[in-house]
Amino acid sequence: MISNATRSRASRERRPLTIRLNYRAQRYIFIYLMLGVPLLYFLLTRLIPILYSFNISLREWDVLSPEKPYVGWANFSGLFADEAFRKSLANTFLFVAVGIPGQLAAGLVVALLLHNANRLRGFFRTVYFIPYVTNIVAVSWVFRWLLMPNGWVNGQLLNLGLPAQPFLQSPDQAPFVVALSMIWQSVGFQMLIFLTGLEGIPKMYHEAAHIDGANAWRRFRHITVPLLNPVILFSAVIAGISYLQAFSHIVSMTQDGGPLNSTRTLVYHIYKLAFKNFDMGSASAATVVLFVLILAFTLLQLKILNRKVEY
Amino acid sequence: MQKKVTIEYWQYEYPAKVTLMDELIKQFQEQNPNITVKQTNFPYDQYNEKVATLVPAGKGPDVINLYYGWLPKYVSSGFLQPLPESAFPAAEIENRYYPLVEAAKIDGSYWAIPTAVRTLALFYNKDLFAKANIVEPPATWEELVKDAVKLTEKDANGQFVVEGFAWEPGAQLHHWYRDGLLLQAGGQDLSEDRRKVLWADTPAGLEAFQYLLDFAIKHKVGTTGIFTDDATAFKTGHAAINIDGSFRLGSLKADAPDLNYDIAPLPSYKSKSAPSSFWANAIPADVTGAKLEAAVKFLQFLTSKEVQEQWVERVGELPAQKEVAAQDKYLKDEKLGPFISQLDYSKAHFFIDETGERTLFVDATNEVRLNNVPVETAFKDLVAKTQKLYDDYWAKADKK
């Protein structure tokens, strides 16, 4: 027969083997485990490749050969000595400078109009959103067809007595045409974000200002814009990243980023280096440049735009 | 009994080629029961991309189909092995194949061998020719200009309705310059050792460049982007003449069955010359032993007379060997004949960087058209920049 004392000693001895967790702790472990799965995925598919491309950027590698000799900063100095790369950098900045304000302004205007419209709101929202979900290649080909030298748009211009324009055939106009098509395609997305933001602004602020005699512009300037700030920040960051990474429109709308490299962007240049020239070292170096650019750009935007507004 | 071996074959995705290859593989496997061939295809646009991602991951092919213009890059990176001299003696290749195949000979060895080749020729719209009262396709440089001017049709606003001559330097015209116009005018492309670009060594280079540009800037019979590109303009009946390859026959048949067109050899000047190109099969460097043996057997099969004949009939590309191509049934074919008749004097420029060289050429034409740079300056610049590509390539190749 076992005495009570022995039994309790036995249970005491067993104790260190099991970690007894209360319900709360178990729950947290479960939550963090689940959250960790995507983190692990992120590590494997994003972080490690990024670190790997940092490594490749310091090597000469043509993909097909097994050797990857270390060359230090040669890839970077080679890039900056290359006219096409410098042009692609300048173009990327141009895209950002034209694209972000253009996209935000267009999205905001449509959102404001829709916010104040009572009828057919759902219909217009759908119409403006359609371009966003339309295939880029298809859109690009329609633009090319409309804008070709003897195309529909030039036909209309000539009918109005205006001179025909070269559009995509001219190095001065092509980058703006491409940027405009990108703006047109993303208006719907920006509209949706702004609409949500606008709906989050309590009506009473506007009503109070109205009673105080503030006109529409002043109400927009002092109530809508400041309260929309977090949304504007989000939109600007997303738009900024998309313009810094402009690629698909370039491939399908222009001939090889031309004419005369006028629409060659950084990502397009990276693509050419990596998959047409098989120069993975230089391509990785250019990717590092892009990485630094996006990082700096986003930090800058956070700094400038992220001001807290309270009423 | 021999051990069973499986080899992998890569080519780009072109429906007619893929289906035919499936059948050819079946025929080959019947003749060689111990060998299994697996075909893998990638979209043409992503071909290099796929090779660049899969090969470093150790998923390479045993026989790979490559555009001849990519060969130097693949060779200098050490990805390929020369074709075994025992199975493919250089002397025999030079004896049986058209001379253009020599573009696959680097450092004295052949690195790839084609089943079929392609040449460029003049596509002309017979309805538009009849409308302009032109009976025969142009046979000389002069006639081409004269006919193109006659065929050009513009509306009241001066916009193109019909291009007399479809003008797209980035499509086939840059090939027409290097392997056609330049040589016809008496110039030379590259030095014997393929290190020096000789375009500017005689006045012929500039003369040919000017001739090509004049269609757009002087005669104004065509320009870039009309109906988006030259092939679309011709297909839709909006270009009377286009210089294009035999590879276009298939898509014209499928997309524009009612188009009333014909083919003529390229117009000549001081001599005849026509650009040609080919896709060729090569064996990667890491293929050895039983797999190498099987790969060589498969290559021998792919270059056999029977396969070449099936290829021309099903895919529309021209047989690479003289005795196969020069049969009456092909020479007398109204569409294939003009392409084949040019094979004897056709050339395939030795590209060290196909896209790079094309971009430089297109840029030079744009400098003249859009930035008003004098033709001489643009040409000099083009030659210097192209030479730099060659210098860089050889500097790297010599290091290895």
Side-chain angles (χ1 to χ4, degrees), chain A:
Chain A
M1 213 179 126
I2 304 160
S3 69
N4 277 346
T6 346
R7 207 178 289 155
S8 71
R9 203 186 307 132
S11 71
R12 258 204 309 275
E13 276 161 9
R14 241 194 345 254
R15 215 185 207 159
L17 290 172
T18 54
I19 306 160
R20 303 191 68 202
L21 293 169
N22 60 23
Y23 172 67
R24 244 173 91 104
Q26 282 181 6
R27 219 181 104 183
Y28 275 121
I29 286 186
F30 176 75
I31 290 173
Y32 282 108
L33 259 177
M34 288 299 116
L35 286 174
V37 173
L39 190 73
L40 192 73
Y41 180 75
F42 178 81
L43 270 175
L44 283 175
T45 60
R46 293 284 165 131
L47 208 63
I48 293 172
I50 289 176
L51 294 175
Y52 187 63
S53 71
F54 284 175
N55 177 356
I56 296 297
S57 73
L58 301 173
R59 294 167 184 279
E60 185 187 308
W61 185 30
D62 67 8
V63 183
L64 297 168
S65 63
E67 294 113 56
K68 308 181 186 89
Y70 177 82
V71 290
W73 297 99
N75 288 329
F76 287 91
S77 53
L79 274 184
F80 284 96
D82 177 9
E83 203 184 320
F85 174 75
R86 293 200 305 267
K87 184 83 180 134
S88 77
L89 258 188
N91 288 337
T92 305
F93 285 126
L94 180 74
F95 271 88
V96 169
V98 174
I100 298 180
Q103 194 169 317
L104 292 194
L108 188 56
V109 166
V110 175
L112 282 170
L113 290 173
L114 271 183
H115 187 61
N116 291 310
N118 293 325
R119 283 155 187 267
L120 295 175
R121 223 161 134 176
F123 169 73
F124 279 111
R125 214 160 43 191
T126 313
V127 168
Y128 279 102
F129 201 71
I130 287 174
Y132 187 69
V133 290
T134 309
N135 182 293
I136 295 179
V137 179
V139 166
S140 303
W141 273 88
V142 173
F143 270 109
R144 274 177 67 173
W145 191 265
L146 289 172
L147 295 170
M148 64 193 187
N150 57 336
W152 183 84
V153 176
N154 272 329
Q156 300 310 308
L157 285 177
L158 288 163
N159 285 343
L160 293 169
L162 298 166
Q165 297 299 319
F167 298 118
L168 287 165
Q169 309 298 326
S170 140
D172 303 322
Q173 295 181 4
F176 294 97
V177 172
V178 176
L180 272 177
S181 77
M182 288 177 73
I183 291 176
W184 175 79
Q185 197 155 24
S186 50
V187 162
F189 173 74
Q190 298 290 358
M191 168 205 73
L192 218 59
I193 304 287
F194 280 125
L195 265 181
T196 324
L198 287 173
E199 252 134 52
I201 300 174
K203 275 215 167 68
M204 58 180 191
Y205 293 149
H206 278 277
E207 284 161 5
H210 192 65
I211 291 167
D212 288 344
N215 63 18
W217 167 248
R218 294 191 62 181
R219 291 203 302 277
F220 171 72
R221 173 81 191 74
H222 295 290
I223 297 173
T224 310
V225 171
L227 285 172
L228 219 47
N229 212 30
V231 178
I232 296 178
L233 171 70
F234 174 77
S235 285
V237 171
I238 296 289
I241 291 174
S242 80
Y243 282 96
L244 281 170
Q245 298 185 346
F247 174 72
S248 307
H249 287 83
I250 315 293
V251 172
S252 14
M253 270 180 93
T254 72
Q255 200 184 46
D256 198 19
L260 296 172
N261 287 332
S262 61
T263 53
R264 179 184 282 245
T265 56
L266 195 48
V267 176
Y268 186 76
H269 192 72
I270 292 171
Y271 163 76
K272 292 277 283 191
L273 284 174
F275 299 119
K276 296 290 173 198
N277 295 355
F278 284 178
D279 184 355
M280 225 24 113
S282 300
S284 297
T287 312
V288 172
V289 174
L290 179 68
F291 175 84
V292 171
L293 264 182
I294 294 184
L295 187 69
F297 189 76
T298 309
L299 289 176
L300 189 77
Q301 278 178 321
L302 284 170
K303 191 115 189 127
I304 294 175
L305 291 170
N306 201 10
R307 281 164 296 165
K308 278 241 164 6
V309 181
E310 283 186 47
Y311 281 97

Side-chain angles (χ1 to χ4, degrees), chain A residues 60-68 83 141 144-151 154-155 158-159 164 166 169-172 255-256 258-261 264 271-272 274-280, chain B residues 45 48-49 51-53 55-56 73-74 76-79 157 159-161 168 170-171 223-229 232 353 355 358-359 362-364 366-367 369-371 385 396 399-400:
Chain A
E60 185 187 308
W61 185 30
D62 67 8
V63 183
L64 297 168
S65 63
E67 294 113 56
K68 308 181 186 89
E83 203 184 320
W141 273 88
R144 274 177 67 173
W145 191 265
L146 289 172
L147 295 170
M148 64 193 187
N150 57 336
N154 272 329
L158 288 163
N159 285 343
Q169 309 298 326
S170 140
D172 303 322
Q255 200 184 46
D256 198 19
L260 296 172
N261 287 332
R264 179 184 282 245
Y271 163 76
K272 292 277 283 191
F275 299 119
K276 296 290 173 198
N277 295 355
F278 284 178
D279 184 355
M280 225 24 113
Chain B
D45 293 343
N48 271 327
E49 215 169 307
V51 173
T53 42
V55 167
K73 205 158 265 178
Y74 277 78
S76 72
S77 66
F79 178 70
N157 289 321
Q159 296 292 92
F160 278 107
V161 178
E168 208 72 59
T223 190
T224 56
I226 301 294
F227 295 97
T228 70
D229 59 74
T232 315
D353 178 355
T355 53
R358 177 180 56 204
T359 304
V362 174
D363 283 356
N366 279 335
E367 288 288 0
R369 286 192 318 124
L370 307 171
N371 290 345
K385 282 182 174 161
K396 225 176 235 177
K399 227 168 47 185
K400 285 187 177 160

Side-chain angles (χ1 to χ4, degrees), chain B residues 140-154 158 160 162-165 167 176 207-223 369:
Chain B
T140 64
W141 280 23
E142 226 184 306
E143 283 173 23
L144 177 60
V145 173
K146 228 172 54 199
D147 289 350
V149 172
K150 253 201 214 167
L151 288 157
T152 303
E153 198 185 320
K154 292 183 182 174
F160 278 107
V162 170
E163 283 184 294
F165 180 73
W167 198 81
W176 188 40
E207 185 189 1
F209 188 63
Q210 178 87 53
Y211 175 76
L212 176 66
L213 266 168
D214 278 347
F215 285 100
I217 56 176
K218 189 172 155 202
H219 317 303
K220 298 193 185 349
V221 292
T223 190
R369 286 192 318 124

